[in-house]
Amino acid sequence: MTIIGMLHHRKDPETVIKSYAYAAVAKAEGLNFFYFSPATVNFVNRSIKGKVYENGKWQERIMPFPDVIYNAGSPEKLAKSKKIIERLKSEIPFTTNSIGNKWSINERLMEAKEFSNYLIPSEIVRNGETFFKYINSFQKVVFKPTDGRKGKGIYFISKIKDGYEVRKDSNNSFYSKQQLNEFLTDKLSTGNFIVQPYIQSITRSGQVYDYRLHVQKNGEGKWVITTIYPRIAPKGSIIPNINNGGFTNYLDPFLQQEFKEEAFNIRRTLEHFSLSLASHLDEIQMVQFGEVIDEIGVDVGMDENFKIWIYEVNWRPGCPPAFYLELDVVIHSIQYAKYVAENQAKIKREIRIIKNKKIEEKGEIPIVAITGSAGKTTSKAFLASILSKKWNIFESKDYWNTTEHTKKHAEEINNKHEAVVLEYGMAYPGVITEHCSIIQPTISIVTNIGLAHVGNFDSDIKKVAHAKSELIHGMDQQGILIVNKDDENSKYLETQKFKGKIMTVGIKSPANYRANDIQYEDNGMSFKMKLQGQEIQLFIPILGEHHVYNALNAIAVADHLGFTPMEIKAGLIFRKPPRRLTIYNCRDNITVIDDTVHSHPQGVRAALDVLSNIGKHRKIAIIGQMRELGELREQEYCKVGEYVYEKGIDILITYGYRTEEIGNRAAVKGFSATNIYHFIKKEELHELLKKIVKKDDTILVKGASKTNMFDTVEFLDQTFKE
């Protein structure tokens, strides 16, 4: 006769109400059942001092090791008996294996891809900056603990005029940004939290609801639906959890009331989804851990388009709020425990088959290479951030774009990576051809054709385009190529013989991926675009219209690879490359804009656009030398001088060899000569800044790394530190 042992962290079964039901059902099924805690296990004689339910009482008995252990205790409280439990697992099959907390379950589903489209994008909140990027993008978010249960500790936070509304249960509070930051700091000191967009399901009467999908394995080891039921929040609340005052209804009457003719289809959708997700999570558990799961509770919402969104997945769901359903849960659990005890060889064989199948299914991975005169690093950072929302990716380090770097990358990429995102830099002909011979891209992005390194190409922009076209010739000829429709010089790219698909991005011109309604926001840009048949609003946490193009490059690739608009929107909240339009807020409302990595005419004009747009009072531009312009230097310096005048800059400071030509041209156009300065010694430049910088000034520092213009950023930050 099969013996089932029920493992729990509590010593006394009388404190565990469900133990009675398990004992009763086991007896009805003709099985021996006892209750035990880890401290009662004796490995020497393979016995356990357990408790059996006889004649209406729990009686202590010395029991042999069971054939299967039903794992019912809290993982956190059983953790102190880890060694005992691990040894038991090595000798006896367990049911109810852990699939982790909310965050780890999300990560599993994202990595496995098939169900990632149903996930609400989530981010672990490391600090206030992470949170504020998210709420700037989504306006309404949920802030909750990673290990929370029963709806506890959930906050709904909305961005409103002049501040933020924070809602918990049915209580509303208004916070300024500083107050909200203090609130977040306090919460993060108590544990780990995640943030995600707030997606609501609302009844006709205006009440928030969700669905609980409860599925289990039965006595044949097959997934079955135990129950599906709606949970409805009381009026004024937005948490439908039963423990927070929510109530339930039977599924069919609820669906008939809310959806009428769609009721049958919605029921079938929920049933199919619950069984498919359970099987999917089971396969992940087999592949990653060599074990199976047997019960999950899934909380889902459904938007106005009847799309399902996963709120939470629990591997130890509470019993449904009805006694007959509680017995159904117990019956499935006991019958499945018997199946596990009697079918270990079959279960292990199924795990081997699933593992081998997953290995065979893994095909070629997308390899994305990005080149261009500007925007490579930021396009790469955007794309890597989006793809990493559900894939394990290889991303080259910022600015690691030489052929020597590509050789190192070739050695580091392995079969665990599901996508590769690289920059291919070049300063001379033949370099990109070498990149492609080391790692051949399947998807390529040419951000633009500008004047960076043009001096190495006889000052001929067509020769720069020819060198960039090496990426088109060297990539997979059946792959995907993305080009900038608005970039005048990109027409010189050699696409005529390319047999793959060409996709375009743009703002001013019609393109496959076109942004409109571009606005400067607090520390970022917002824009709209059509994506997958719907117009969506997007936000990027970096300033400058030119960075919208970089975002569009990433969006085009991600959309092609099957990422959803929600995943793309979340991925655009990226880790900004250092010294790329980084904002320093100093004392007396002085703002410093650091853009000191690369410098070429196109980038200088883009940085001046940012200064012009965010500077509310006096605007100061500090512009360093631009290298490798060749014969075009004087012409391009003059154009920059004219642009400084056109953008309404108040003070112009140039630094480095021949940069006085910028100021001279600005003066010819009408810029006040008394507000133009030129230096070749940084110390003298810094002495001037000490004298002229005043309250409310916005200062742009623009220069290439080789000119060490970051020294000036550091000087300003230290001199005017809050």
Side-chain angles (χ1 to χ4, degrees):
M1 185 181 290
T2 301
I3 303 174
I4 300 174
M6 181 178 184
L7 170 65
H8 205 283
H9 58 274
R10 292 182 191 162
K11 295 178 182 177
D12 187 356
E14 292 190 6
T15 64
V16 181
I17 296 173
K18 66 180 180 180
S19 61
Y20 294 94
Y22 280 82
V25 171
K27 186 173 183 180
E29 293 286 327
L31 308 170
N32 282 338
F33 177 90
F34 71 93
Y35 179 102
F36 74 102
S37 57
T40 64
V41 178
N42 185 329
F43 286 101
V44 176
N45 59 17
R46 294 178 60 79
S47 67
I48 298 174
K49 189 186 289 185
K51 294 193 175 180
V52 298
Y53 195 67
E54 293 177 347
N55 302 319
K57 286 186 180 179
W58 288 102
Q59 310 282 352
E60 194 170 278
R61 296 277 189 274
I62 302 297
M63 301 294 292
F65 271 16
D67 300 300
V68 61
I69 292 175
Y70 172 66
N71 183 16
S74 161
E76 296 81 14
K77 292 179 180 173
L78 286 172
K80 62 183 180 182
S81 306
K82 185 178 178 183
K83 288 185 179 177
I84 295 172
I85 292 168
E86 284 181 348
R87 189 168 173 185
L88 281 172
K89 274 192 169 184
S90 70
E91 299 185 29
I92 304 168
F94 270 52
T95 69
T96 321
N97 290 306
S98 168
I99 59 173
N101 62 24
K102 294 179 178 67
W103 181 249
S104 58
I105 294 169
N106 258 30
E107 286 188 317
R108 288 187 193 187
L109 289 171
M110 283 189 288
E111 288 171 11
K113 301 178 189 175
E114 286 90 336
F115 277 79
S116 61
N117 290 354
Y118 298 98
L119 289 173
I120 303 174
S122 303
E123 193 82 28
I124 288 184
V125 182
R126 307 289 182 193
N127 49 45
E129 183 183 359
T130 306
F131 176 86
F132 284 110
K133 283 181 181 178
Y134 236 76
I135 201 163
N136 280 339
S137 183
F138 290 100
Q139 306 298 308
K140 293 182 177 182
V141 299
V142 178
F143 177 69
K144 61 184 179 182
T146 55
D147 288 309
R149 296 197 72 207
K150 300 181 178 179
K152 303 292 184 186
I154 298 177
Y155 295 87
F156 298 84
I157 305 177
S158 303
K159 187 176 181 182
I160 57 176
K161 189 177 181 182
D162 301 324
Y164 302 86
E165 183 183 74
V166 178
R167 189 169 184 180
K168 186 175 187 298
D169 302 328
S170 55
N171 300 316
N172 283 12
S173 303
F174 177 84
Y175 286 66
S176 67
K177 186 171 183 178
Q178 182 179 342
Q179 289 171 327
L180 182 56
N181 199 38
E182 290 169 359
F183 165 82
L184 295 169
T185 302
D186 179 59
K187 288 295 171 188
L188 294 175
S189 69
T190 66
N192 295 323
F193 283 76
I194 59 174
V195 62
Q196 58 186 196
Y198 179 37
I199 295 173
Q200 274 187 330
S201 301
I202 302 175
T203 66
R204 291 172 182 267
S205 62
Q207 288 169 276
V208 173
Y209 75 94
D210 65 14
Y211 297 101
R212 164 58 65 92
L213 319 175
H214 195 141
V215 290
Q216 293 177 275
K217 281 184 179 168
N218 64 11
E220 298 176 354
K222 295 178 180 177
W223 286 104
V224 293
I225 297 167
T226 304
T227 183
I228 297 174
Y229 57 93
R231 303 184 304 179
I232 304 150
K235 290 212 175 214
S237 175
I238 47 180
I239 300 179
N241 194 288
I242 308 301
N243 294 281
N244 284 277
F247 59 94
T248 66
N249 195 347
Y250 290 104
L251 182 63
D252 286 333
F254 177 81
L255 294 178
Q256 286 293 337
Q257 174 184 303
E258 296 296 326
F259 302 106
K260 303 196 182 315
E261 64 275 4
E262 291 292 333
F264 176 76
N265 289 336
I266 291 173
R267 181 190 180 100
R268 293 301 301 271
T269 297
L270 291 170
E271 289 172 342
H272 175 74
F273 179 83
S274 59
L275 292 174
S276 299
L277 179 61
S279 298
H280 183 63
L281 284 167
D282 202 16
E283 286 190 1
I284 294 173
Q285 194 81 1
M286 293 183 206
V287 172
Q288 293 188 3
F289 301 99
E291 59 189 26
V292 293
I293 59 173
D294 59 298
E295 180 179 17
I296 60 168
V298 189
D299 299 335
V300 302
M302 190 173 274
D303 65 23
E304 64 275 10
N305 299 314
F306 304 127
K307 174 174 169 49
I308 291 173
W309 292 98
I310 299 173
Y311 292 153
E312 288 182 12
V313 180
N314 299 288
W315 59 277
R316 291 184 307 118
C319 283
F323 182 72
Y324 80 90
L325 289 174
E326 183 175 346
L327 274 181
D328 284 350
V329 171
V330 177
I331 290 167
H332 289 320
S333 297
I334 291 295
Q335 290 178 344
Y336 179 70
K338 181 174 183 287
Y339 172 84
V340 169
E342 296 174 354
N343 291 277
Q344 274 302 287
K346 180 181 178 182
I347 291 169
K348 287 176 180 176
R349 187 169 63 251
E350 286 174 353
I351 292 172
R352 281 197 306 274
I353 291 169
I354 291 294
K355 278 188 170 183
N356 292 334
K357 179 185 171 189
K358 289 297 178 186
I359 291 169
E360 290 170 7
E361 284 177 355
K362 192 167 184 180
E364 289 187 9
I365 65 172
I367 298 173
V368 186
I370 305 168
T371 196
S373 298
K376 293 186 294 295
T377 299
T378 309
S379 293
K380 182 215 67 172
F382 274 130
L383 180 57
S385 178
I386 297 170
L387 300 188
S388 65
K389 290 298 168 192
K390 64 178 182 179
W391 291 353
N392 178 28
I393 68 158
F394 179 90
E395 173 191 5
S396 59
K397 292 180 184 176
D398 293 340
Y399 320 124
W400 277 44
N401 58 23
T402 70
T403 53
E404 289 305 308
H405 291 140
T406 302
K407 288 174 185 174
K408 289 180 181 177
H409 298 152
E411 294 173 358
E412 294 167 351
I413 296 165
N414 59 53
N415 59 9
K416 291 182 180 177
H417 294 123
E418 297 170 290
V420 175
V421 187
L422 307 168
E423 292 179 55
Y424 283 0
M426 71 97 203
Y428 297 95
V431 174
I432 293 182
T433 297
E434 186 178 354
H435 277 297
C436 292
S437 70
I438 302 164
I439 302 176
Q440 185 185 42
T442 60
I443 300 173
S444 295
I445 299 170
V446 182
T447 60
N448 46 51
I449 306 298
L451 298 176
H453 312 299
V454 70
N456 300 335
F457 294 88
D458 302 326
S459 301
D460 185 346
I461 196 70
K462 292 182 181 178
K463 291 184 178 180
V464 176
H466 177 70
K468 297 291 185 188
S469 297
E470 292 174 18
L471 181 61
I472 302 170
H473 305 319
M475 69 178 288
D476 177 356
Q477 292 301 289
Q478 302 297 325
I480 302 293
L481 172 65
I482 291 132
V483 296
N484 186 335
K485 192 77 176 291
D486 291 344
D487 179 50
E488 182 66 20
N489 295 325
S490 287
K491 68 186 178 186
Y492 299 126
L493 288 169
E494 298 160 7
T495 60
Q496 298 83 357
K497 295 182 180 179
F498 180 67
K499 294 185 174 68
K501 183 177 181 181
I502 299 175
M503 299 191 296
T504 57
V505 301
I507 295 172
K508 302 174 179 68
S509 309
N512 299 116
Y513 296 88
R514 185 181 187 183
N516 61 78
D517 195 16
I518 298 166
Q519 305 287 336
Y520 277 78
E521 305 286 353
D522 182 22
N523 285 330
M525 310 292 293
S526 67
F527 60 97
K528 294 177 181 175
M529 68 178 296
K530 273 207 165 177
L531 190 61
Q532 296 178 19
Q534 58 179 306
E535 184 170 74
I536 60 171
Q537 174 109 17
L538 298 165
F539 171 81
I540 54 174
I542 187 170
L543 293 163
E545 185 177 286
H546 58 301
H547 286 308
V548 175
Y549 286 103
N550 299 329
L552 290 172
N553 290 327
I555 292 166
V557 175
D559 183 46
H560 168 73
L561 293 175
F563 282 67
T564 65
M566 185 72 81
E567 289 163 342
I568 289 169
K569 191 170 185 175
L572 290 175
I573 307 170
F574 76 145
R575 178 190 60 80
K576 185 163 66 69
R579 294 161 53 192
R580 294 295 180 99
L581 293 166
T582 300
I583 303 296
Y584 292 79
N585 295 308
C586 302
R587 72 165 188 260
D588 298 328
N589 200 33
I590 295 166
T591 302
V592 178
I593 307 170
D594 171 16
D595 201 17
T596 57
V597 177
H598 299 305
S599 191
H600 45 75
Q602 184 180 7
V604 172
R605 284 192 285 273
L608 288 168
D609 286 342
V610 173
L611 174 61
S612 176
N613 275 283
I614 74 168
K616 304 302 180 193
H617 297 280
R618 203 168 60 149
K619 298 179 275 290
I620 301 173
I622 305 172
I623 301 174
Q625 179 185 352
M626 291 169 263
R627 297 169 180 260
E628 297 180 343
L629 291 177
E631 296 172 4
L632 298 179
R633 189 208 68 246
E634 184 177 356
Q635 173 186 322
E636 292 301 322
Y637 276 12
C638 286
K639 287 181 182 176
V640 168
E642 292 174 1
Y643 203 71
V644 168
Y645 172 74
E646 290 167 11
K647 298 307 290 185
I649 306 305
D650 298 291
I651 295 176
L652 171 63
I653 302 170
T654 56
Y655 170 77
Y657 175 70
R658 302 295 294 272
T659 53
E660 68 270 22
E661 294 168 1
I662 298 172
N664 293 341
R665 187 62 178 177
V668 168
K669 292 293 289 183
F671 199 100
S672 172
T674 59
N675 288 337
I676 299 174
Y677 303 87
H678 172 69
F679 296 97
I680 55 173
K681 291 183 179 178
K682 212 166 280 177
E683 298 78 13
E684 295 176 2
L685 164 59
H686 293 174
E687 282 300 316
L688 173 74
L689 292 172
K690 278 185 193 175
K691 295 173 186 174
I692 68 168
V693 173
K694 324 191 276 199
K695 184 176 184 294
D696 297 326
D697 282 350
T698 302
I699 308 160
L700 166 69
V701 185
K702 177 64 180 173
S705 297
K706 291 177 181 177
T707 58
N708 297 317
M709 294 293 284
F710 185 66
D711 293 345
T712 300
V713 174
E714 287 187 313
F715 169 78
L716 288 165
D717 185 46
Q718 291 301 315
T719 305
F720 301 100
K721 199 165 201 153
E722 283 195 270

